[in-house]
Amino acid sequence: MADNNEFISNFPFSYMGPKFVRFSDNGYGIRCQEERTTQPIITYHTKNYIEVSVITEGHGTHHVNGNDIEIKRGSFHILGIKDTTSFTVKSSNLAFKNLCINIKKLPFETVDLICSAPLPVFGNLTPEEHNVILGYLKKLEVLQHSKEPYVQNQINAYVILIITELLKLGKHIKSQKQRTGFSYRSWDV
């Protein structure tokens, strides 16, 4: 099995051992960026944040809580804090737009929307839906670097928009394995 230390070290997160990735906060409670790997396997890990990813290139298998889900350009997922995940990359590379969300930094209505959703959620976007969601994610990528006072409200609005749209388009995948013991009320961020 391939070692994922190099892949993880390129993330803007702290790598906490072989099975836990920790969110490094930018002050707004989100981190949005393009990720890419050529490694054939990304080993199982869990996180202390909510993760929304949209595949932009390549294909493979996403392993989540004992389920194997085939992914390709246009596939998306929303993962909760308790979900364990890994990837098997079946193409020369796998690229995805990642939105990581620290729910401790967002307003109640955003947290309530995310925490009341039955996660994990997976789906496939049409080319038009894919372009729209990527446009929203690109806007968040720019906003997260702004120092303007109104930015947090815009970030919250885009997070709600993205989550709402993807929840409508996706479906909940029941866990085949017991989830890890994290709780959104007790994470150490």
Side-chain angles (χ1 to χ4, degrees):
M1 187 176 278
D3 182 12
N4 69 336
N5 285 336
E6 180 183 330
F7 178 71
I8 296 290
S9 69
N10 293 326
F11 280 13
F13 309 104
S14 303
Y15 184 60
M16 303 294 289
K19 295 190 178 197
F20 187 73
V21 181
R22 182 187 193 106
F23 188 91
S24 292
D25 195 2
N26 62 5
Y28 293 119
I30 63 143
R31 174 84 58 199
C32 188
Q33 66 188 36
E34 181 88 16
E35 305 286 354
R36 181 177 298 275
T37 185
T38 56
Q39 293 191 28
I41 297 172
I42 302 170
T43 59
Y44 272 98
H45 57 282
T46 190
K47 307 159 180 75
N48 71 338
Y49 51 89
I50 304 294
E51 180 181 75
V52 177
S53 290
V54 177
I55 306 301
T56 58
E57 186 180 325
H59 66 279
T61 305
H62 193 178
H63 313 284
V64 177
N65 304 331
N67 294 294
D68 296 333
I69 297 120
E70 293 303 311
I71 55 172
K72 62 182 188 226
R73 178 178 166 80
S75 298
F76 70 88
H77 69 252
I78 306 172
L79 299 178
I81 296 160
K82 296 179 181 183
D83 295 317
T84 57
T85 180
S86 76
F87 291 92
T88 303
V89 179
K90 296 180 179 176
S91 54
S92 60
N93 65 50
L94 183 66
F96 44 96
K97 190 69 88 167
N98 235 10
L99 170 60
C100 304
I101 304 166
N102 174 350
I103 59 175
K104 284 186 169 185
K105 297 277 181 130
L106 298 175
F108 175 77
E109 61 273 6
T110 309
V111 173
D112 188 48
L113 171 68
I114 295 168
C115 292
S116 65
L119 300 179
V121 170
F122 287 85
N124 292 298
L125 301 169
T126 66
E128 289 125 13
E129 293 164 342
H130 190 247
N131 289 336
V132 168
I133 296 295
L134 288 178
Y136 296 156
L137 290 168
K138 183 65 178 166
K139 184 68 173 168
L140 275 176
E141 207 170 359
V142 171
L143 287 171
Q144 73 185 351
H145 299 293
S146 176
K147 302 297 181 203
E148 297 295 324
Y150 61 86
V151 168
Q152 186 69 60
N153 290 337
Q154 287 184 331
I155 286 173
N156 296 338
Y158 275 105
V159 169
I160 288 172
L161 182 61
I162 291 165
I163 296 285
T164 302
E165 289 302 309
L166 293 180
L167 287 174
K168 282 192 259 180
L169 296 169
K171 80 177 208 180
H172 171 61
I173 305 293
K174 293 190 186 271
S175 297
Q176 299 299 315
K177 291 183 178 178
Q178 184 176 7
R179 297 164 107 191
T180 60
F182 294 102
S183 164
Y184 79 90
R185 290 181 181 87
S186 65
W187 6 297
D188 176 23
V189 178

